Amino acid sequence: MACIQKTLRGLGVLRQLPRESTVNQTYCRYASSYKYLQVDLDKKTKVAHLTLARKPANSLNCDMMKEIAMATNELDQDRDCKGIIINSCVPNIFSAGLDLTELYQAKELFFQDFWRSLQAMFSTIYGTKVVTMAAIEGHAPAAGCIIALATDYRVMSEGKFNIGLNESMLGIPMNFWVKDAFIATCGQREGERALQLGQMFIPSTALQIGLVDEVVPQELTLPTVQKHMKQWVKVPGGARGLTKSLIRQQAMDNLKAKADEDLLIMTRHMLSQPIQNTIGAYLENMTKKSKR
Ligand SMILES: CCCC/C=C\CC(=O)SCCNC(=O)CCNC(=O)[C@H](O)C(C)(C)COP(=O)(O)OP(=O)(O)OC[C@H]1O[C@@H](n2cnc3c(N)ncnc32)[C@H](O)[C@@H]1OP(=O)(O)O
């Protein structure tokens, strides 16, 4: 965790937050600290719910990614927290991925802050020693899928929803740490196919390729995650946490070592005219669609 804090501090993401605003002895809510999240920790079960709450689609703007990193870090340090469930309060959408309106015609300095915040959000969730699970009750494209990939266990709702890394289709080339996380989860062959094609998956296919661990009716999604969480947090935390670190440390070290390089490469790509044109056209399409 020292590593996560160092990374966050280096990225200017970590700031002093009030320890907690206590509602009562067994249930505490950090929500007052956050604009785009609800964070509730049940001190009795030692499980926190980190609920993405940026309507209309939980698109991830720079501040929201900073908040997710800070909240995860804060929970990681809280002795009363053994598990974090990430879910969404937006019906049928887990997260629509990066906020394209912030990426469109972004200034270089802002983009750097934005990308550092994405790196920090991922590495904080991926690197935390506490158990993390995603209750994916709707669409999870691109960075929505990245949040889910960073967790230890994913349950998705049945329905006409999509999950996956569609970056190629947006003209955005894949970067190393997202590629590594996908391949670690779904394997080399699936990675070669899905990442080149920018493929999105319906829940049953996502289950087949191992992108999610379970698919259940929507109303059972959160209860199913809660049931699994109850089991996972029973495992002695020290042993489980160290085992998790052992498995994830290499990826964390790689990201830390190559974060600047990633930023440099992605700044060049994302601010290039062809990608900016694609994002512009995509935004125009979304506006037309919602006017219909
Ligand atoms: C190189 C690797 C690292 C890079 C990592 C990540 C890259 C990204 O994340 S890029 C972003 C990719 N995201 C997408 O392609 C998803 C785009 N959105 C959708 O496909 C749909 O909105 C979605 C399926 C999520 C939901 O569909 P609907 O339920 O039909 O809702 P609407 O499409 O009407 O959307 C509602 C509302 O939200 C706005 N919106 C949606 N997505 C985004 C977004 N990514 N950024 C900004 N705004 C977004 C959309 O415009 C609508 O707004 P209003 O018109 O104001 O209602």
Side-chain angles (χ1 to χ4, degrees):
M1 195 61 226
C3 158
I4 292 178
Q5 286 178 347
K6 210 168 158 194
T7 312
L8 291 178
R9 228 171 261 122
L11 299 175
V13 167
L14 198 63
R15 66 174 162 83
Q16 280 298 41
L17 289 167
R19 283 301 300 157
E20 62 190 63
S21 57
T22 308
V23 173
N24 62 42
Q25 287 298 312
T26 55
Y27 197 68
C28 103
R29 177 169 259 243
Y30 294 78
S32 59
S33 313
Y34 302 107
K35 186 171 173 194
Y36 301 121
L37 308 176
Q38 288 162 13
V39 185
D40 294 311
L41 170 63
D42 184 335
K43 289 190 172 185
K44 210 164 142 210
T45 60
K46 301 195 184 298
V47 174
H49 287 77
L50 191 162
T51 306
L52 309 177
R54 182 169 185 248
K55 286 180 177 172
N58 277 333
S59 65
L60 299 158
N61 68 0
C62 189
D63 286 346
M64 184 171 177
M65 292 190 286
K66 285 181 182 171
E67 286 194 358
I68 295 170
M70 283 190 287
T72 307
N73 182 54
E74 191 170 30
L75 290 166
D76 177 275
Q77 288 175 72
D78 192 323
R79 283 168 179 274
D80 283 321
C81 180
K82 288 186 173 180
I84 305 172
I85 294 172
I86 304 180
N87 67 334
S88 158
C89 75
V90 178
N92 303 324
I93 302 178
F94 179 68
S95 161
L98 298 182
D99 186 336
L100 293 168
T101 61
E102 281 200 349
L103 283 175
Y104 187 52
Q105 297 181 334
K107 297 273 176 285
E108 187 164 338
L109 257 185
F110 173 78
F111 178 79
Q112 287 173 353
D113 190 26
F114 187 97
W115 205 258
R116 292 271 189 216
S117 304
L118 172 64
Q119 292 173 337
M121 177 185 75
F122 173 79
S123 60
T124 311
I125 302 172
Y126 192 78
T128 178
K129 66 182 182 307
V130 306
V131 182
T132 54
M133 294 190 179
I136 310 162
E137 293 169 296
H139 298 288
C145 177
I146 292 173
I147 293 180
L149 276 173
T151 63
D152 296 311
Y153 198 82
R154 293 164 280 281
V155 179
M156 188 168 187
S157 301
E158 287 169 358
K160 290 182 177 169
F161 305 127
N162 282 305
I163 183 168
L165 298 172
N166 61 340
E167 281 77 358
S168 281
M169 290 305 285
L170 297 172
I172 302 172
M174 190 40 63
N175 65 347
F176 80 91
W177 53 268
V178 179
K179 175 263 297 174
D180 287 347
F182 187 89
I183 284 176
T185 308
C186 302
Q188 176 83 12
R189 181 66 199 120
E190 207 47 67
E192 285 177 359
R193 191 165 32 210
L195 299 185
Q196 290 188 63
L197 295 175
Q199 242 175 333
M200 298 290 287
F201 301 97
I202 57 171
S204 55
T205 318
L207 181 65
Q208 263 169 29
I209 66 163
L211 183 53
V212 299
D213 298 293
E214 231 172 307
V215 174
V216 298
Q218 194 176 42
E219 67 279 9
L220 295 183
T221 309
L222 190 56
T224 302
V225 171
Q226 287 163 336
K227 180 190 77 185
H228 287 295
M229 184 58 91
K230 213 169 154 188
Q231 289 303 318
W232 281 56
V233 297
K234 277 187 193 155
V235 179
R240 192 204 42 74
L242 284 171
T243 305
K244 178 175 175 177
S245 300
L246 187 70
I247 295 164
R248 297 194 166 191
Q249 197 58 51
Q250 185 66 55
M252 288 291 287
D253 290 346
N254 283 348
L255 176 49
K256 198 173 158 205
K258 297 201 284 182
D260 290 346
E261 193 187 325
D262 177 56
L263 174 64
L264 216 69
I265 294 171
M266 293 314 291
T267 307
R268 202 175 58 228
H269 285 310
M270 299 293 289
L271 301 188
S272 70
Q273 208 49 54
I275 293 187
Q276 284 294 312
N277 290 344
T278 311
I279 295 175
Y282 201 76
L283 280 171
E284 213 172 298
N285 267 339
M286 279 203 296
T287 314
K288 273 188 206 150
K289 183 186 125 191
S290 47
K291 274 186 190 154
R292 261 184 244 138

